[in-house]
Amino acid sequence: MFAKEEIDQLLDSYTDFSIATICSHSALQIFNGAKELGIKSVGICTEASRELYESFPYAKPDEFLMVDDYSSIPVDELIERQSILVPHGSLVEYTGKQIDDLPVPIFGNRGSLQYESSREKMFEWMKASGLKSPKILKPDEIDGPAIVKFPGAKGGMGYFVVHSPEEYYTKVGEDTQTMIQEFIVGIRAYVHYFHSFDGGAGYKTSYGRVEMMGVDRRMESNADEIARQLSVGANIPISFTVMGNQALVLRESLLPKYMEMGRGVCDASKKLFGGIHGPFCIETIITEDLDIYAFEISARIVAGTNLLDNPYSFFTHGKEYTTGMRIAQEIKDAFKKKKLKEITY
Ligand code: AMP
C-alpha cells in the first residue's frame, strides 16, 4: 500500500485542487456536483466514452484526460492538475490492486479496500459495526434457500440459489471459493450515507458526523421481474444482475435503526483502518418482522445515488442535493480548512 505520508506530501504542494474521476459508473453526478460548487473537474476518458460525457452539458468534465483504457491512470497529469481522485465502483474494478499504490490523493480511505475485496473481511467489519448479517453456511449446512456467491463477481452476476447440500455439490462441485449465505426474504434497501469530518447534520460519530443521503432499491434481472416470468410459464432460474435503481423511502420508525447502523459502520472503520470518509452504502434486507440484515458495505459512492428523488438529503440540505454535490462540498471545506489530509488517502 502506498504510504499515506507520501500522499500528504503531495497535498502539501497543492495550491488549489480539482476533482477527477473515470468516466463511468456515477461520474456524471460527480462532475455535476463539482460544477454546482464551482470546482474544476477532470474526466479520465476513453475515446469510446467521450461522446456520452460530452452530451450532458451540466455533467461533463471541464477537461478530459484521454486514455487507451481505464487500467492506466494518468498519474502525472492528475498531479499537475492538483487533482483529488474520487473513487467509484468502476474505478476500483478497472484499476484492481493497482489502486492500493496509486500515487494520487484519493477521496476516502484506501484502507477500506482490503475489507471490501474479501467477503470474509467484509463480514468481520459488519460484525464490528454491530450489524446483523445473514449466516455464512458450509455446503453441508444448507437447509433451505441459500445464495451462492463467487469471488470477484460483480453486481450480482453469476449468483444462484440452492436449497440442499446435494444441489450445491451438483451445481458447484467441491469448489471452496464460494461464499454461501442464508437467503434472507424481505425488502431490500440500499441506504446511502455520507461521513463528514465536520458536517453540521446527522448522527455524531467518533470522528465527525454521518448523514443519510438517500435509499434505493436495485433492479436485478431476473429476480425483480420474476412474477412476469412465472406468469408466462417460463421456468428460468433466479438471477441477480444489477440493471438499474429505483428510489425508496423507509417507514420513519426504521430511520433511527439505520442512523445507528451508519454510525456503527463509521466508528468500526475508524478502529479497523482509520475511518471511512465521504459516501458509503449499507446494503440491507428488511424482513417482515422488521429485522434488518446487512449483507455488504460499499465504502464509496454507489450508483443508486444517481437518483434525485430522495427526501433525506433534501431534509438535510434544504434543497435537492446529490452525493456528487456533497462530495464537492466536503473537499472544498477540507481544502479551505487545510484538512484535506484528514479525508484523503
Ligand atoms: P451483492 O453482490 O452481495 O451486493 O449481492 C447482489 C444481490 O444478491 C443483492 O442485491 C441481493 O438482491 C441479492 N442478495 C445478496 N445476498 C443476499 C442474501 N443473503 N439474501 C438474499 N438476497 C441476497
Side-chain angles (χ1 to χ4, degrees), residues 60-304:
K60 77 171 196 189
D62 295 318
E63 188 185 358
F64 285 99
L65 290 180
M66 301 308 293
V67 291
D68 291 336
D69 68 81
Y70 287 133
S71 61
S72 47
I73 301 290
V75 168
D76 294 340
E77 286 92 330
L78 289 173
I79 300 295
E80 245 169 65
R81 286 157 184 78
Q82 311 196 87
S83 294
I84 308 289
L85 191 58
V86 174
H88 50 51
S90 302
L91 179 84
V92 175
E93 189 180 334
Y94 290 132
T95 56
K97 286 297 283 171
Q98 266 187 67
I99 200 172
D100 283 0
D101 297 316
L102 219 52
V104 179
I106 295 179
F107 179 49
N109 184 348
R110 54 187 110 187
S112 68
L113 294 176
Q114 89 187 105
Y115 283 84
E116 284 184 82
S117 60
S118 140
R119 288 211 173 89
E120 285 71 22
K121 280 201 111 41
M122 169 68 64
F123 269 66
E124 237 179 73
W125 182 11
M126 294 196 294
K127 192 164 180 227
S129 306
L131 305 180
K132 186 168 184 171
S133 301
K135 270 196 221 112
I136 301 176
L137 305 169
K138 297 198 174 76
D140 292 327
E141 292 171 342
I142 301 170
D143 179 22
I147 186 164
V148 181
K149 304 183 178 187
F150 287 91
K154 296 281 171 316
M157 213 173 268
Y159 292 1
F160 54 87
V161 173
V162 295
H163 302 81
S164 65
E166 296 69 36
E167 193 183 352
Y168 175 86
Y169 288 123
T170 307
K171 289 189 171 154
V172 185
E174 295 292 330
D175 191 332
T176 51
Q177 296 294 301
T178 55
M179 178 182 264
I180 312 164
Q181 293 173 12
E182 65 173 319
F183 187 92
I184 306 294
V185 176
I187 299 294
R188 289 161 307 128
Y190 303 77
V191 182
H192 322 143
Y193 301 87
F194 193 95
H195 188 275
S196 175
F197 71 105
D198 79 343
Y203 275 26
K204 265 200 153 111
T205 67
S206 61
Y207 61 111
R209 275 183 183 271
V210 61
E211 298 165 21
M212 186 181 283
M213 298 295 294
V215 189
D216 79 285
R217 223 165 72 99
R218 287 187 188 160
M219 298 306 290
E220 294 170 339
S221 183
N222 54 29
D224 291 306
E225 295 286 2
I226 210 85
R228 275 165 70 92
Q229 181 181 305
L230 293 174
S231 72
V232 295
N235 184 17
I236 304 165
I238 191 168
S239 59
F240 302 92
T241 309
V242 182
M243 300 289 162
N245 308 78
Q246 280 181 330
L248 181 72
V249 286
L250 294 168
R251 54 192 282 173
E252 206 146 302
S253 58
L254 287 171
L255 293 183
K257 280 194 195 167
Y258 274 102
M259 291 303 288
E260 283 299 349
M261 288 165 66
R263 169 158 49 204
V265 165
C266 295
D267 287 345
S269 74
K270 181 77 179 158
K271 285 190 196 135
L272 292 174
F273 52 83
I276 44 174
H277 313 290
F280 68 98
C281 173
I282 312 181
E283 304 179 9
T284 65
I285 301 172
I286 311 163
T287 68
E288 61 186 350
D289 301 322
L290 299 180
D291 271 339
I292 302 171
Y293 286 83
F295 57 91
E296 198 162 312
I297 304 167
S298 294
R300 68 179 80 86
I301 187 168
V302 290

